[in-house]
Amino acid sequence: MKPFSMKHTIVVALLFTYGCSKFVDVVPDNVAEIEDAFETRNNAERFLATLYGYLPRFASINNPALLGGDEVLVQANRTEYWAARRMALGAQSAGNTLLNFWSGGNGGRNLFIALRDCNIFLENVSVPFDITDEEIDLWTGEALFLKAFYHFYLMRMYGPIPIIKENIPIEADVNEVRVSRDSVDDVVRYIIDLLDQAIELLPDGIENEVRDLGKPTKEIALAFKSRVLVTAASPLFNGNTDYSDFVDQEGNHLMNQTYDPNKWVMAAEACREAIETAHKNGRKLFEFVPRGSESFSERTIKKLSIRGAVSSEWLFNDELIWGSSASPVTLLQNWAQGRLPNNIQVENRQSVQGWWAPTMRIAEMFYSENGVPLKEDTSYNYEDRFNVSTVGPEHIHYVVEGYETANLHLNREPRFYASIGFDGGVWEGHGINNDKDGSGLFIRAKFLETAGLLDVNSFSLSGFFAKKLVNYRNVQATNVNSYARITYPFPLFRLADLYLLYAEALNESQGPQAAYPWIDLVRKRAGLEGVVDAWSNYSNKPSKPSTKDGLREIIHHERLIELVFEGHRFWDLRRWKKALTVASGTARGWNIQGRTTESFYTVVDNGIFYFQLKNYFWPIAERDIVRNPNLIQNPFW
């Protein structure tokens, strides 16, 4: 590593700071602070810890992928000032940038400061007199990984960004400070170079799980590399002619204009290597195993296997490759939890909010029990889905027998029942350890019922609940105002995600035959037949999986189902260039003001999702363009 140098530790903030009258922001104020920061290994380790502090809060309202798309609604009394919800309504503008991760503001943090600090660390990690060579290598690997992550996070939001290879010295002139945007291909190459360097230095696994869980390893870096390359190979970034006029000052394209199929080959190879490493480290798809006195039906065990892949504690979840323990998952669970105990006292209802409301399009997205889309299933009466039936015993453990509910809630795949809470739907766990006789708690979502509209704040706008996000052992007390929660890390990368990325890359690079095994692994855990058999036996498009185009559509659909509520749909629809047609339109749900079965099961409009071509990338704030004219604004803003 480079030795300590005053020249490279006085840092220019590259016009991405708030100061209106300055071209530069000199950080820190004097060299002595840098000398102190790297005087000892303990000080250097504390500096390294601050680099992790810039990681976004993935389970919070400031993660655009959770509430900024078309997956979930929260009623307006709560979200009036939430930047992500305003983004979903089309309120983003260059004059008022929401979730601004470029220069900071409106729920976003300036990630160029994170990159600056990564560079400071990398330039000085070898300075402490008492640091070992092994620590230098390990900490360098961590900083390189974080530097790659922050570049990718910005690229995914803004497209072409300035590559921050090193910090600008204080004596630089104005032209050096006024940086330009690098092309997406150059940014991707730089990210991959950083990751390749990090992979050589990072450990195979975590030795001290209590202290280091969540820090990058070879396995995590390889998985992240696969995501970067799949993203770069996708239509948004690979031959996107919508951006044919997006050029720099010299006329060079900032977005490549020619589709490159080799990008999918590279992505598939990265996925393969990541999967092999994950398997060597004992990663496998999560399968629920009852604990202690628990005795559940096979259907419930299947639901808890699907749900547990997300909401299980890290040490019990062999599927989790990388998760964020710093995010407030406790709050997210509170918002997703529907009120269950029918005898709960009035003063205790507020211990859960239940306002994280999946939309009707998400409820309809899940397959039928035959593992194909509702519109394609030859045995499913799609036109009858909003009508009501009385539930028979064949639906035990899914819906309460004798209950009147919508046909939409019946004859669905296990992931629907594991992921969505709905009126009449069984909510496994929550203090119930034996359900083989069909007993258990269930959602009552009609007006003034336990999980329904009872006040102006704590209710689901759609009548649906994001059950998948709630650990099955959480319990809302009936006689005290408390909600006992099991915490878990918000999943950033799990094995099913990696399998589906690999299936996608293989289908694009080699064709359907190579991709079948990997998508079928995910479907098998969900209790479904493989794609070829399911479409052949039940779909009105039986040959769909046999073509690249057909299987592409299936893989896309599979990702949207398997990874629902985990922050993937928002980015996937963008990289596939589907957001313009899929992520806009009316947000629908059940009529939560309905007191009767007939009135509740009426589909109503709850607002809109607004997406335009320009929304594929964030705008750069006007004030930043004024400060640095070399920062060309994103198209259509």
Side-chain angles (χ1 to χ4, degrees):
M1 300 300 297
K2 294 181 181 179
F4 174 80
S5 167
M6 181 190 305
K7 186 174 183 179
H8 291 288
T9 54
I10 303 298
V11 181
V12 174
L14 303 177
L15 313 183
F16 306 124
T17 57
Y18 284 110
C20 295
S21 61
K22 299 180 181 179
F23 278 122
V24 300
D25 178 23
V26 178
V27 180
D29 293 330
N30 55 68
V31 177
E33 294 184 11
I34 290 293
E35 291 176 334
D36 291 342
F38 293 93
E39 183 179 12
T40 67
R41 69 164 302 282
N42 287 340
N43 287 357
E45 189 173 26
R46 282 195 288 270
F47 195 105
L48 175 62
T50 67
L51 303 185
Y52 288 93
Y54 293 108
L55 286 171
R57 298 297 181 259
F58 297 100
S60 81
I61 59 173
N62 289 328
N63 179 356
L66 293 188
L67 201 62
D70 67 330
E71 199 167 48
V72 170
L73 277 177
V74 176
Q75 45 94 0
N77 289 341
R78 306 306 309 172
T79 61
E80 182 179 0
Y81 300 107
W82 291 6
R85 177 59 184 142
R86 288 160 60 203
M87 177 181 290
L89 291 171
Q92 180 80 279
S93 73
N96 181 28
T97 51
L98 303 172
L99 296 171
N100 182 355
F101 287 86
W102 188 286
S103 55
N106 280 331
R109 303 181 68 186
N110 184 336
L111 290 186
F112 287 100
I113 294 178
L115 292 172
R116 173 206 68 189
D117 286 358
C118 287
N119 285 339
I120 291 176
F121 183 84
L122 290 168
E123 290 172 356
N124 293 281
V125 63
S126 60
V127 170
F129 73 93
D130 54 347
I131 196 169
T132 67
D133 290 341
E134 290 76 13
E135 287 170 329
I136 291 174
D137 287 346
L138 174 61
W139 294 355
T140 297
E142 292 180 31
L144 288 168
F145 174 88
L146 291 170
K147 187 177 177 181
F149 180 87
Y150 296 133
H151 273 96
F152 176 72
Y153 203 82
L154 285 165
M155 185 204 81
R156 199 165 51 166
M157 286 182 170
Y158 296 96
I161 62 170
I163 295 173
I164 311 302
K165 291 185 177 180
E166 58 184 16
N167 295 328
I168 299 174
I170 193 171
E171 67 269 21
D173 63 28
V174 170
N175 289 329
E176 288 184 80
V177 173
R178 285 176 168 163
V179 295
S180 301
R181 303 175 75 171
D182 292 286
S183 73
V184 164
D185 282 354
D186 286 343
V187 175
V188 170
R189 278 190 286 269
Y190 184 65
I191 292 171
I192 296 304
D193 180 61
L194 290 173
L195 288 174
D196 286 342
Q197 293 179 58
I199 288 164
E200 293 298 315
L201 298 173
L202 291 171
D204 293 329
I206 294 295
E207 292 184 5
N208 188 331
E209 292 181 334
V210 174
R211 182 191 65 193
D212 296 330
L213 206 58
K215 287 189 174 182
T217 61
K218 278 186 172 65
E219 178 186 7
I220 292 171
L222 286 166
F224 180 53
K225 179 180 177 180
S226 70
R227 176 168 293 161
V228 173
L229 288 173
V230 168
T231 300
S234 299
L236 183 62
F237 295 102
N238 190 4
N240 188 349
T241 57
D242 290 338
Y243 293 84
S244 59
D245 296 329
F246 194 16
V247 296
D248 63 17
Q249 290 85 349
E250 287 75 41
N252 301 309
H253 286 288
L254 292 172
M255 300 277 289
N256 65 72
Q257 296 299 291
T258 304
Y259 172 74
D260 182 1
N262 191 56
K263 290 183 177 181
W264 284 113
V265 177
M266 295 169 60
E269 175 59 23
C271 291
R272 181 197 61 76
E273 187 176 2
I275 289 172
E276 289 181 353
T277 302
H279 287 170
K280 288 179 182 177
N281 287 346
R283 296 285 165 259
K284 56 186 178 181
L285 295 180
F286 180 84
E287 295 288 347
F288 177 80
V289 177
R291 306 179 189 181
S293 61
E294 293 175 344
S295 180
F296 294 123
S297 67
E298 290 185 9
R299 283 182 170 180
T300 297
I301 289 174
K302 178 61 67 178
K303 287 187 289 180
L304 292 177
S305 293
I306 296 163
R307 189 169 153 192
V310 170
S311 61
S312 290
E313 308 96 308
W314 200 326
L315 296 181
F316 292 101
N317 189 355
D318 290 333
E319 182 170 343
L320 186 62
I321 295 173
W322 188 30
S324 172
S325 299
S327 296
V329 178
T330 51
L331 280 177
L332 193 57
Q333 291 191 86
N334 187 305
W335 300 344
Q337 175 74 65
R339 290 185 296 271
L340 289 171
N342 205 33
N343 60 339
I344 191 170
Q345 298 177 12
V346 174
E347 59 269 23
N348 303 329
R349 290 172 180 164
Q350 293 301 315
S351 58
V352 301
Q353 272 69 57
W355 59 41
W356 206 254
T359 58
M360 181 65 74
R361 69 176 63 176
I362 299 303
E364 292 182 280
M365 172 188 72
F366 289 85
Y367 294 141
S368 72
E369 62 185 347
N370 294 320
V372 298
L374 299 184
K375 284 186 176 181
E376 291 185 28
D377 192 327
T378 55
S379 64
Y380 188 86
N381 189 343
Y382 183 76
E383 300 303 322
D384 191 50
R385 68 195 185 283
F386 296 144
N387 291 329
V388 174
S389 296
T390 300
V391 178
E394 67 273 19
H395 300 288
I396 187 173
H397 303 121
Y398 289 152
V399 194
V400 174
E401 184 177 355
Y403 204 84
E404 289 185 310
T405 195
N407 292 328
L408 182 71
H409 301 159
L410 305 177
N411 304 309
R412 305 299 299 276
E413 62 159 313
R415 285 180 296 194
F416 173 81
Y417 298 108
S419 303
I420 302 288
F422 57 89
D423 183 52
V426 173
W427 194 295
E428 56 275 2
H430 206 79
I432 305 297
N433 291 332
N434 188 324
D435 74 339
K436 289 190 175 180
D437 62 353
S439 63
L441 298 175
F442 65 96
I443 289 288
R444 298 172 176 87
K446 298 181 184 69
F447 185 60
L448 297 182
E449 291 187 336
T450 307
L453 178 59
L454 289 168
D455 56 49
V456 298
N457 287 315
S458 302
F459 62 89
S460 165
L461 190 60
S462 66
F464 294 112
F465 301 85
K467 181 170 67 169
K468 179 184 180 182
L469 295 175
V470 180
N471 186 286
Y472 81 101
R473 291 193 291 146
N474 292 2
V475 177
Q476 182 184 22
T478 58
N479 57 354
V480 292
N481 193 32
S482 70
Y483 177 49
R485 285 160 289 193
I486 303 298
T487 189
Y488 64 87
F490 189 80
L492 304 179
F493 223 125
R494 58 186 180 92
L495 192 60
D497 177 10
L498 192 52
Y499 284 169
L500 293 174
L501 287 178
Y502 193 28
E504 184 177 354
L506 286 172
N507 182 54
E508 300 297 340
S509 60
Q510 299 182 30
Q513 292 288 339
Y516 293 151
W518 302 101
I519 187 174
D520 285 352
L521 282 172
V522 177
R523 290 173 61 85
K524 181 179 180 182
R525 195 262 300 277
L528 303 175
E529 294 181 27
V531 289
V532 173
D533 289 342
W535 262 259
S536 176
N537 294 330
Y538 306 110
S539 173
N540 56 20
K541 300 177 180 178
S543 63
K544 187 175 180 178
S546 65
T547 67
K548 181 183 290 189
D549 290 346
L551 189 62
R552 179 189 301 123
E553 184 180 332
I554 292 171
I555 292 170
H556 288 185
H557 198 158
E558 194 74 29
R559 280 189 64 82
L560 297 179
I561 292 173
E562 176 64 29
L563 303 172
V564 68
F565 309 139
E566 297 177 52
H568 294 278
R569 179 185 177 92
F570 181 90
W571 298 115
D572 280 344
L573 290 179
R574 278 164 166 74
R575 70 179 177 87
W576 296 330
K577 289 185 65 178
K578 287 185 172 182
L580 192 61
T581 56
V582 175
S584 289
T586 303
R588 302 178 305 155
W590 298 124
N591 175 26
I592 60 172
Q593 298 186 48
R595 294 173 180 264
T596 65
T597 298
E598 182 180 7
S599 60
F600 178 84
Y601 287 113
T602 300
V603 179
V604 298
D605 295 345
N606 291 316
I608 62 168
F609 296 112
Y610 192 76
F611 192 95
Q612 292 180 294
L613 182 61
K614 65 181 181 180
N615 296 125
Y616 277 111
F617 294 116
W618 270 242
I620 299 174
E622 289 175 349
R623 62 180 182 269
D624 294 317
I625 299 292
V626 170
R627 292 174 196 162
N628 179 7
N630 289 340
L631 292 177
I632 297 170
Q633 182 61 276
N634 275 330
F636 317 120
W637 293 101

